[in-house]
Amino acid sequence: MVNGESVGWDTALDGVANRFGDVIAEHGPDSVAFYVAGQLLTEDYYVANKLMKGFIGSANIDTNSRLCMSSTVAGHKRAFGTDTVPGIYDDLDEAELVVLVGSNLAWCHPVLYQRVIAAHELRGTRIVTIDPRRTASCAGALHLQLKAGSDVALFNALLAEIDRRGAIDTNYADAHVEGLSESIATAKDSDSSLTGLSTEQLQEFLDLWIGTEKVVTIFSQGVNQSSSGTDKVNAILNCHLATGRIGKPGTGPFSVTGQVNAMGGREVGGLSNMLACHLDIENPEHNAAVKNFWKAPVMPEQAGLRAVDMFKGVEDGRIKALWIIHSNPAVTLPDADRVRDAIAACPFVVVSDITGNTDTARLADVILPAAAWAEKSGTVTNSERLISRQRAVLPAPGLAKPDWWILAEVARRMGWSDSFAWESPAEIFAEYAALSGIAGKLGKDFDISALAEIGTQAYEKLDPIRWPQSASKQGGRFFANGGFFHPGGKAKMLALTPRGPAETPSEAQPFRLNTGRLRDQWHTMTRTSLSSRLSAHLPEPFVDMNPQDVKRLGLDHGDLVRLSSTHGSAILRLHQTDDVVPGDLFVPMHWTGMNAPTARVDALVAPVTDPVSGQPESKASTVAAKKFAAAWYGFAMSTTQFIPESDYWAQARTNTGYRCELAGLGTPDNWEDYARLLFGLPDAAIQHMSDNKRGRHSIGLFDGEILLAALYVGAEPVVLMRDFLVGLPGHEAPWALAGQARGDTPDPGPVVCSCYAIGRNTVKRAIANEALISVDQIGRSLSAGTNCGSCKSELASILKDCHEPAVAEST
Ligand SMILES: Nc1nc2c(c(=O)[nH]1)N[C@H]1C(S)=C(S)[C@@H](COP(=O)(O)OP(=O)(O)OC[C@H]3O[C@@H](n4cnc5c(=O)[nH]c(N)nc54)[C@H](O)[C@@H]3O)O[C@H]1N2
Ligand SMILES: Nc1nc2c(c(=O)[nH]1)N[C@H]1C(S)=C(S)[C@@H](COP(=O)(O)OP(=O)(O)OC[C@H]3O[C@@H](n4cnc5c(=O)[nH]c(N)nc54)[C@H](O)[C@@H]3O)O[C@H]1N2
Ligand SMILES: [Mo]
């Protein structure tokens, strides 16, 4: 699509190549930029990186991994001299203690989490969860509910105690580590009360960690997405280096990556400060080696713009042509309204996506149809350095093409045919593997040169294989016997002084805003929201708030709340829960302009970044909260999609069509007219029940007895059996306006187990009727929790509530 018109590939590709060429000719290579993603396949990534760095001659290519893994990359490089995860997943089976730091593994890495839980059940592996919020990953774990951002203080306390108790592995440290005594001295000066933990809790953790040789510390976004993210990473690495608990079976620091190929992107040089194969752009020897290998006409000698700065460059006009591939930055970057406006104002924007229905694609001049993961072929690397083939299992629909192909076609049309002449991902992979051999010779660990001669057939059949794969080393763990990648071969421990989040709560913005993921949605929902089953788990955006704050602000569970910061605002459904402590809020990151335009949480988030990694602090902005005083609230459902124009709306798929929560500041004059317009059904037969005194209206639109759509409104949030009602559109339901379930079809309640579509009420009824007392028994009775297992902790909490009714019910 060029300017909203469908054109063929030739026209579109020529258009992109010409426009980029013109801008570069007029304003130089640094006037253009690519923003890519950790969900691209390695081959896609390699081509994008080669085109920008080697041929356009700018380092202005950055990736959403900047928002995701860059603090880990920076922390690894500071400590190890390379961005390398030392351990492998087998370590989780062998560990006796697994510590989750800022990781909701149960929801975000459910398969890996089941492995940890299996070890817990089988071998009694202890679990500690370090998170300011109670999450599904706290089940069966010691939960340290530390103050947001205080991880460095916690791990400094651990390091100081390791030293005090003589638990330093002096042999290891003497031989392989620098900076030990300085780090310990600083750790001893560090104030552990910053964590807000009680002395007993802290002591329990220190005893466990120090007393258990086989410990794996898993960390994720609660660590990375912080203005002190890199320090948090190094604070964790310090403790493992000091005790020599690294690279030996069952031990080690373990960064778990989020996106399927976040790791591959790090290897292939997706970040603006890297070249391919762990080579550094600013190292003249590395730079020259890559330039020579690529036969590149020009190579940038300095790092390019990092994500947040890249979009500042778009805003202030330094970037005049932007190509966004496989990401939705108008939703997921901090200060998202501003990013959205900057993209809209950029003279030339190309978006490659699998759908044109995204907040970002809507702003593009050119939308290129990309083949999705199941339709394309290549490789990805996971958190444990395992390279896996991904094989197309479906034909690409319509004109969709793999990302590598689109990029290579543009490169050829910009005049670099010979350098981008591959016919298949196998050829790209072989070139990449050959380049890694040069990296290996330059002393880098990312060396897969043993695969450089791989032919198409072997590539097609390639089994998962762990790097490195060189003449001298195949797979395995790193660093058990030192061998670090700093000159001299030693690791570096760092002296770290704790810093809190950049923003401090104030009278104007008293709340700390934590954000993150839900079990059944993926990022900006362009894929997961298409599934009615996944959408049934938590169909509406919300904010978690502690009951004390709810009371203090005079709010009620189920109200709408407006959060605001100096950057923007969001309207969200209030969830009262003591999962968060007073003063903290939690909002999921997923909703967008496509399904809940006033609930884009990154509109609130300050564009503050870690000074070392450039990663944004996505989990610790400050905001104000107050009631969104709507004049009316509504619930709507229909067999077809509809786009409301109300002040608040949030839409989700159902089995029968769509459901939508609504609210407005001004009340329409005529609800029947409103409903007809809302659903686009000017001629349908209408049933209308009203209670004018309470401002309640129930309106059904029918085709004969068949319910097409229904709207329920009231002056207060409307109470209905929603999960039952959403099954009615498209069916004979003349009694739908009652808003209640009928005896023969009980209300299943919101979905808990998505695999088997089992609702909360169904689980509760089974617990009561069959006197179930364990999650396993629930599984045997209903199958719930027996497939992916990611709902097991929710089942456990329902079980607990049934046996000892909860204080503050939160759904
Ligand atoms: N279902 C689902 N799974 C996913 C994804 C998805 O969108 N949906 N996305 C994938 C991606 S790309 C990623 S990066 C991973 C992310 O996986 P995770 O990092 O596990 O997910 P998050 O929910 O972002 O954040 C984890 C936790 O950090 C906590 N936290 C916040 N501030 C702090 C702090 O200061 N200290 C500590 N210790 N903890 C803190 C939050 O309360 C939250 O529970 O998930 C991957 N898996
Ligand atoms: N407040 C807050 N913000 C966050 C986070 C947070 O925890 N809190 N987390 C951050 C993190 S860790 C991450 S990883 C980012 C994720 O942020 P994004 O990368 O912006 O989110 P996605 O929804 O994964 O975007 C992927 C896009 O690629 C498209 N797509 C899917 N398959 C293909 C394909 O094969 N080819 C192409 N070309 N396109 C495809 C999808 O339709 C979608 O539009 O968000 C970050 N932002
Ligand atoms: Mo991520």
Side-chain angles (χ1 to χ4, degrees), residues 385 445-448 466-470 473-476 478:
R385 291 178 278 113
D445 56 356
F446 183 81
D447 184 344
I448 55 167
R466 182 171 294 112
W467 68 258
Q469 288 295 328
S470 64
K473 186 162 167 44
Q474 292 85 38
F478 276 85

Side-chain angles (χ1 to χ4, degrees), residues 145-147 150-151 153-154 191-198 202:
Q145 202 157 8
L146 83 178
K147 280 223 173 77
S150 66
D151 304 73
L154 178 64
D191 178 3
S192 67
S193 73
L194 294 172
T195 60
L197 299 170
S198 69
L202 190 62

Side-chain angles (χ1 to χ4, degrees), residues 188 292 321 406 620:
K188 283 189 166 156
N292 184 38
I406 302 173

